[in-house]
């Protein structure tokens, strides 16, 4: 079992910044070492945003957020962070933290939700 709790969402103006954090816990969280972020806007499917390997050496980003968002992790504190800069109204969505056993499993979690674990989500709203 893995529990994921997101914090840090809120309302921000376009061009501003927000920082999301995800705290992992549970007996199996180290097994689900690949972690990342997805988002779901109203009326749209959940989509991949970014992910990071256990050691932090490998990161991937959706094209829509490259150069603006940065994912990082602190394994000593069991946390993964998403720094979001230069926010745009189209970034408005509920952001979900996710954890999976492999990078491949994490990549398909939006289509296969049971491939790993999800947090409860945190709302990010960007006003124009």
């Amino acid at each position: 079992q893995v529990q994921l709790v997101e914090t840090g969402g809120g309302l921000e103006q376009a061009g501003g910044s927000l920082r999301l954090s995800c705290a992992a816990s549970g007996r199996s969280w180290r097994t689900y070492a690949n972690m990342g972020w997805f988002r779901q806007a109203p009326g749209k499917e959940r989509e991949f945003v970014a992910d990071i390997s256990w050691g932090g050496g490998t990161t991937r980003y959706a094209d829509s957020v490259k150069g603006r968002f940065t994912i990082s992790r602190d394994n000593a504190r069991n946390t993964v962070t998403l720094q979001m800069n230069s926010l745009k109204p189209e970034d408005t969505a509920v952001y979900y933290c996710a954890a999976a056993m492999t990078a491949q499993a994490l990549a398909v979690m939006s289509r296969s939700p049971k491939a790993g674990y999800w947090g409860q989500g945190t709302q990010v709203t960007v006003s124009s």
Side-chain angles (χ1 to χ4, degrees), residues 8-72:
L11 175 64
E12 182 59 78
Q13 292 185 338
S17 298
L18 284 172
R19 187 179 181 90
L20 305 183
S21 291
C22 174
S25 62
R27 297 178 61 183
S28 303
W29 84 269
R30 290 181 183 271
T31 300
Y32 290 78
N34 291 274
M35 297 186 68
W37 293 90
F38 290 72
R39 67 186 182 186
Q40 187 165 18
K44 295 187 176 182
E45 295 184 350
R46 193 170 298 188
E47 64 176 6
F48 170 82
V49 175
D51 68 0
I52 187 167
S53 60
W54 170 258
T58 301
T59 57
R60 298 183 298 183
Y61 297 91
D63 288 343
S64 59
V65 307
K66 278 182 182 176
R68 300 188 298 121
F69 291 11
T70 302
I71 189 170
S72 61

Side-chain angles (χ1 to χ4, degrees), residues 10-19 39 68-69 83-92 95 124-127:
L11 175 64
E12 182 59 78
Q13 292 185 338
S17 298
L18 284 172
R19 187 179 181 90
R39 67 186 182 186
R68 300 188 298 121
F69 291 11
Q83 177 67 42
M84 305 185 295
N85 298 328
S86 302
L87 285 165
K88 303 177 181 180
E90 50 264 42
D91 294 320
T92 295
Y95 283 70
V124 170
T125 302
V126 183
S127 62

